[in-house]
Amino acid sequence: MMGKIIIGRYLPGNSLIHQLDPRAKFIATFLFVIIVFLANNWQSYVALLAFVLLAVHLSKISLRFFLRGIRPMIILILFTVILQIFFTTGGDPFWQWGILSLSTLSLTNGAYIFIRFLLIIFISTLLTITTTPLQMSDAIEAILKPLRYVHFPVDEVALMLSIALQFIPLLSDETTKIMNAQRARGVDFGEGGLIKQVKAIVPILIPLFISSFNIAYDLSIAMESRGYQTSEGRSKYRQLSWQSKDTWVLISFGLLAIILLVLRSY
Amino acid sequence: MENIIQLDDVTYSYEEASTPTLNHISFAVQANQWVAIIGQNGSGKSTLARVLNGLLEPNSGQVKIGGMLLTEDTVWQIRQQLGIIFQNPDHQFVGATVEDDVAFGLENQGMKRSQMIERVQWALELVNMTDFAKRSPQVLSGGQKQRVAIAGIIALKPQIVIMDEATSMLDPQGRHDILLLIKRLQRELGMTVLSITHDLNEITQADQVIVLQKGNVLKIGNVEQIFADPTKLLSFGLQAPFTQRLQLDLQQHDVAIDSNYVTKQELVQKLWQLHLNT
């Protein structure tokens, strides 16, 4: 199941999109989610679709890959769309049964919602697939920076995020190890009723927690002995570099928003 | 020679323990020496390492590092002179890439970025990991991980390096490589090395061996003195070295050979002499 979901996975590459500053990509994705809601007629959806397809093309990752990524979520999307279609009132219904009705308006509304979902998933997949988790946490840190003025511990949160990301593989190895060790001692996973299955998780969870505590203890000692006190007075080795192409990306998203606003008035 | 590390009557006990983990310990280490600290499990070796860099504060007694008294005010200064390489490399990585992890200690010092890049490069070259700079530490092998951890310490250019069973999780080849590396760094950078270990090869590198037992210093001496009595070695948390075991076995077969510690080459010489004389 987890293997099929492509959101949150990173595909290495060297395309224009890969080279962009993660901050630019992050902000652009955020903007896009807002921009999508400006669209209200088919011309604007065509413009949006063209824009996203161009972006996908620039990433040099095949469209088929994105479509495959949608597959695990398709039921959820269709469910929402169908509810939307049947419960939309207004327009001229050509079919009606109780509170359910079908009209041209509800059908087009459903189609729009479907496209919206698709577009948002495409663009957020594009973000995660061309950005390493590390770049992502750097971008989040940079974007949160203004919050320092309200005494939000940005550096600490960024460090926590970076450590958390980095220890995922180690902890998942640890989980497999514990599961196999418990299997060897006769614990059944994924069998029996709900209660039995939940009970079977306990012998994984407790050792996993204990081993996390141990890792945290070792890590904190190693960090302290390498001179980590607080985030204050630290310098930074990794640095993001904002280039003119990053500015252009944001400008293009601005232009897209303007185009959609113009199309709205049609 | 000046004493780079000096402990005077240091006692430390954990809150829950009934007996002190370190009991009135005193010893001194000269600069540029290789000192092995040995002892059975629970003899207080790791506690000693933590007391030395101020992670644990002794209940009584004094610790002096590089002539500086270890107090709350000097602890950060002392940590810059003293690096610890811990046992499990997986649990010491802070950075998400190799170079990032090596830079972590430098970042803490607030070093300028341009200088940092140079220093990271230098440290990675020393441990021969330059090609892995952009990789995640998690994908490396055990020996490579430990090399990265060493680079992270070396980058700080400490005068003293403590290895807290740093090679105990490695295979023989990895252990051998790390030892050669540390030996080289000791020679080239004039570092003082304190190695806490059960590993015989690591001990035979040492200029001085300190044996801890139940929180007390049982014995201080050079390698020959420590290995002089093979029957005592087990109580030091050690097995007798191969040469010595071989000599003991030969004695049992009435071969006229003594059981003093010798290196492999010396043993071969001895046996060759015996062979020529018969």
Side-chain angles (χ1 to χ4, degrees):
Chain A
M1 176 70 187
M2 285 300 282
K4 282 188 200 151
I5 294 176
I6 62 164
I7 284 195
R9 253 173 58 187
Y10 170 71
L11 276 190
N14 201 20
S15 69
L16 175 69
I17 309 271
H18 280 91
Q19 290 167 9
L20 288 176
D21 190 297
R23 284 169 297 183
K25 284 191 267 190
F26 209 86
I27 296 170
T29 307
F30 189 71
L31 279 180
F32 187 82
V33 175
I34 300 168
I35 291 173
V36 162
F37 288 95
L38 291 177
N40 67 343
N41 51 29
W42 68 266
Q43 294 94 331
S44 49
Y45 278 106
V46 169
L48 273 176
L49 203 60
F51 188 85
V52 170
L53 287 180
L54 177 71
V56 168
H57 177 71
L58 285 176
S59 74
K60 289 184 187 158
I61 292 166
S62 77
L63 189 61
R64 206 182 297 155
F65 193 83
F66 284 81
L67 290 173
R68 222 188 309 148
I70 300 263
R71 226 185 277 162
M73 280 174 281
I74 202 78
I75 292 179
L76 187 73
I77 298 171
L78 285 180
F79 181 71
T80 321
V81 169
I82 286 168
L83 282 186
Q84 185 74 24
I85 290 175
F86 282 112
F87 286 103
T88 302
T89 51
D92 215 359
F94 51 78
W95 179 85
Q96 202 154 21
W97 186 74
I99 51 163
L100 303 178
S101 67
L102 273 182
S103 68
T104 355
L105 179 72
S106 66
L107 280 178
T108 46
N109 252 349
Y112 286 169
I113 283 179
F114 184 72
I115 295 173
R116 261 185 215 168
F117 262 116
L118 216 64
L119 290 174
I120 290 176
I121 290 173
F122 265 37
I123 213 83
S124 46
T125 307
L126 192 64
L127 169 72
T128 57
I129 226 164
T130 61
T131 316
T132 61
L134 180 62
Q135 288 176 322
M136 205 87 107
S137 76
D138 282 348
I140 293 172
E141 179 184 2
I143 291 166
L144 289 182
K145 225 164 231 171
L147 289 181
R148 271 193 195 147
Y149 296 107
V150 290
H151 299 294
F152 183 78
V154 176
D155 301 284
E156 275 83 357
V157 169
L159 186 71
M160 260 157 49
L161 196 66
S162 160
I163 289 175
L165 279 175
Q166 201 215 317
F167 275 86
I168 290 172
L170 186 71
L171 285 177
S172 99
D173 276 0
E174 198 73 30
T175 313
T176 324
K177 234 186 271 170
I178 294 169
M179 277 178 84
N180 286 336
Q182 302 292 22
R183 272 200 193 104
R185 289 161 46 170
V187 180
D188 267 344
F189 296 110
E191 275 179 43
L194 184 67
I195 291 179
K196 202 177 165 215
Q197 284 200 30
V198 170
K199 271 188 182 162
I201 292 176
V202 175
I204 312 176
L205 272 190
I206 291 173
L208 195 59
F209 264 101
I210 291 171
S211 108
S212 311
F213 287 141
N214 287 338
I215 294 174
Y217 178 74
D218 284 354
L219 181 67
S220 64
I221 280 193
M223 283 170 70
E224 207 179 319
S225 66
R226 281 166 78 183
Y228 180 81
Q229 307 183 60
T230 56
S231 291
E232 262 162 62
R234 296 189 81 226
S235 53
K236 216 161 154 28
Y237 180 76
R238 278 199 315 271
Q239 239 156 28
L240 300 170
S241 68
W242 188 275
Q243 285 160 325
S244 56
K245 56 186 170 198
D246 301 308
T247 316
W248 282 111
V249 166
L250 290 190
I251 290 175
S252 73
F253 275 79
L255 285 178
L256 179 69
I258 293 169
I259 293 170
L260 290 185
L261 281 173
V262 171
L263 286 172
R264 251 177 106 85
S265 48
Y266 270 92
Chain B
M1 265 297 217
E2 59 160 334
N3 291 334
I4 195 157
I5 300 175
Q6 195 170 342
L7 270 79
D8 288 320
D9 204 26
V10 169
T11 299
Y12 181 85
S13 14
Y14 290 99
E15 266 170 39
E16 62 268 31
S18 53
T19 53
T21 314
L22 297 177
N23 193 10
H24 300 287
I25 289 203
S26 302
F27 66 83
V29 174
Q30 290 181 345
N32 202 10
Q33 285 220 312
W34 183 301
V35 177
I37 298 175
I38 62 174
Q40 290 173 313
N41 290 332
S43 57
K45 305 185 300 285
S46 294
T47 307
L48 180 64
R50 274 153 207 194
V51 165
L52 282 176
N53 88 336
L55 285 166
L56 301 175
E57 195 188 341
N59 304 93
S60 67
Q62 285 186 339
V63 178
K64 271 188 192 165
I65 308 284
M68 208 188 301
L69 187 66
L70 180 68
T71 62
E72 234 168 88
D73 299 323
T74 57
V75 64
W76 295 102
Q77 236 172 313
I78 281 173
R79 276 181 200 161
Q80 288 190 13
Q81 300 177 24
L82 185 146
I84 305 191
I85 306 160
F86 292 97
Q87 184 174 23
N88 191 341
D90 272 326
H91 297 182
Q92 351 174 3
F93 288 128
V94 197
T97 63
V98 165
E99 52 177 359
D100 212 32
D101 189 72
V102 176
F104 178 75
L106 303 171
E107 289 179 325
N108 292 334
Q109 294 183 359
M111 186 183 275
K112 266 199 230 109
R113 184 157 182 270
S114 52
Q115 211 180 337
M116 247 192 305
I117 292 171
E118 245 169 66
R119 194 68 88 76
V120 170
Q121 186 72 24
W122 171 79
L124 284 178
E125 255 166 44
L126 271 181
V127 300
N128 202 12
M129 287 294 287
T130 313
D131 297 343
F132 298 87
K134 305 277 179 206
R135 301 261 197 102
S136 156
Q138 309 291 351
V139 301
L140 304 176
S141 73
Q144 289 171 331
K145 281 178 185 169
Q146 202 55 287
R147 261 149 65 195
V148 174
I150 292 171
I153 301 297
I154 297 301
L156 298 165
K157 295 200 172 166
Q159 292 172 20
I160 305 162
V161 167
I162 301 180
M163 296 199 286
D164 188 356
E165 303 194 30
T167 59
S168 64
M169 296 181 88
L170 301 178
D171 58 20
Q173 183 63 45
R175 208 177 281 183
H176 180 73
D177 292 347
I178 298 280
L179 277 188
L180 280 184
L181 173 68
I182 298 277
K183 193 81 201 169
R184 210 186 100 204
L185 293 175
Q186 185 212 3
R187 238 182 294 120
E188 287 175 11
L189 306 176
M191 284 181 336
T192 308
V193 177
L194 232 69
S195 96
I196 296 170
T197 185
H198 296 287
D199 183 54
L200 285 173
N201 282 327
E202 219 167 305
I203 295 162
T204 53
Q205 304 282 330
D207 305 306
Q208 193 185 12
V209 182
I210 298 173
V211 184
L212 289 186
Q213 195 173 52
K214 291 180 186 150
N216 298 295
V217 174
L218 191 68
K219 195 167 179 166
I220 298 182
N222 61 23
V223 177
E224 285 80 17
Q225 289 166 338
I226 297 298
F227 287 135
D229 187 356
T231 52
K232 263 194 185 160
L233 289 175
L234 268 181
S235 70
F236 295 171
L238 289 181
Q239 195 187 21
F242 171 73
T243 52
Q244 216 165 3
R245 273 180 287 148
L246 191 63
Q247 290 174 94
L248 284 171
D249 283 354
L250 286 170
Q251 275 180 348
Q252 283 177 359
H253 288 86
D254 297 323
V255 179
I257 198 162
D258 54 39
S259 62
N260 284 337
Y261 170 72
V262 289
T263 61
K264 211 160 68 184
Q265 287 87 342
E266 287 167 340
L267 180 63
V268 169
Q269 274 299 323
K270 271 191 180 185
L271 290 174
W272 186 240
Q273 283 298 328
L274 273 175
H275 173 72
L276 288 181
N277 293 343
T278 52

